[in-house]
């Protein structure tokens, strides 16, 4: 594994542990100001940074995760991270665990030269008809 791949994977684990621990400050420090979380299933929903931070520390609980084979590729000042992930999570009272695919976009800042997550796309097959409404309910701008 090259140095960049190791760095990005380490940041991914920090991000996921912060979510599990509901550590708003750590997630805020890792997320770019224009961060977007796209939850893709039968029906998709987008959470902006404020919505994500609120949901991840209250209703959208991550209890565990495991990455499969990791893919990292650099594109100038951005890097793409992708993997299949086993997720143990709940949205409110709805179980949202299982196999997922995540693709994250990280960007290196010009001033501090640190990496920030700009976008996360989490996709999974979803047959629960109540989930799209549960996901959309986390949007603060609604």
């Amino acid at each position: 594994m090259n140095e960049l791949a190791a760095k990005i994977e380490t940041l991914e684990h920090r991000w996921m542990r912060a979510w599990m621990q509901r550590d708003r400050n750590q997630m805020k420090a890792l997320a770019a100001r224009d961060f977007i979380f796209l939850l893709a299933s039968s029906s998709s929903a987008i959470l902006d940074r404020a919505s994500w931070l609120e949901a991840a520390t209250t209703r959208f609980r991550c209890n565990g995760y495991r990455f499969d084979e990791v893919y990292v590729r650099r594109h100038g000042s951005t890097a793409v991270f992708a993997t299949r992930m086993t997720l143990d999570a709940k949205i409110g009272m709805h179980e949202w665990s299982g196999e997922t695919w995540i693709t994250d976009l990280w960007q290196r800042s010009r001033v501090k030269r640190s990496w920030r997550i700009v976008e996360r796309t989490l996709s999974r097959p979803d047959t629960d008809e109540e989930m799209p409404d549960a996901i959309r309910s986390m949007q603060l701008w609604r």
Side-chain angles (χ1 to χ4, degrees), residues 24 28 35-37 39 45-60 133-142:
R24 182 185 187 97
K28 191 173 181 179
F35 172 76
I36 292 290
F37 192 122
L39 294 117
I46 293 175
L47 300 177
D48 63 0
R49 183 179 187 218
S51 299
W52 162 251
L53 291 171
E54 174 64 25
T57 56
T58 58
R59 296 182 280 165
F60 195 0
D133 287 336
I135 292 168
R136 276 193 279 293
S137 75
M138 293 185 284
Q139 296 170 331
L140 294 180
W141 64 83
R142 293 187 91 214

Side-chain angles (χ1 to χ4, degrees), residues 1-138:
M1 182 181 296
N2 67 36
E3 187 177 325
L4 173 69
K7 173 71 175 169
I8 297 298
E9 186 172 355
T10 298
L11 290 169
E12 287 285 343
H13 285 292
R14 278 184 34 202
W15 175 263
M16 293 301 295
R17 283 192 303 274
W19 183 12
M20 288 173 55
Q21 296 165 357
R22 295 192 263 173
D23 185 343
R24 182 185 187 97
N25 291 334
Q26 180 71 280
M27 286 185 288
K28 191 173 181 179
L30 290 169
R33 289 184 182 176
D34 57 349
F35 172 76
I36 292 290
F37 192 122
L38 171 62
L39 294 117
S41 61
S42 301
S43 239
S44 300
I46 293 175
L47 300 177
D48 63 0
R49 183 179 187 218
S51 299
W52 162 251
L53 291 171
E54 174 64 25
T57 56
T58 58
R59 296 182 280 165
F60 195 0
R61 299 283 318 268
C62 176
N63 299 311
Y65 73 97
R66 189 186 63 215
F67 292 149
D68 199 352
E69 188 174 339
V70 168
Y71 167 83
V72 177
R73 183 169 180 208
R74 186 176 193 152
H75 298 277
S77 64
T78 61
V80 174
F81 172 91
T83 188
R84 191 172 70 190
M85 176 176 66
T86 303
L87 183 64
D88 177 8
K90 283 187 174 186
I91 297 177
M93 297 305 294
H94 298 280
E95 189 66 33
W96 213 67
S97 297
E99 295 292 316
T100 63
W101 182 262
I102 61 169
T103 305
D104 291 341
L105 181 64
W106 290 83
Q107 187 170 44
R108 191 166 187 188
S109 66
R110 293 180 187 189
V111 177
K112 293 186 178 180
R113 312 292 288 161
S114 58
W115 290 93
R116 300 281 184 260
I117 189 168
V118 177
E119 185 169 324
R120 167 166 277 191
T121 302
L122 191 148
S123 57
R124 67 182 279 251
D126 194 353
T127 56
D128 184 346
E129 293 180 15
E130 294 179 25
M131 288 313 298
D133 287 336
I135 292 168
R136 276 193 279 293
S137 75
M138 293 185 284

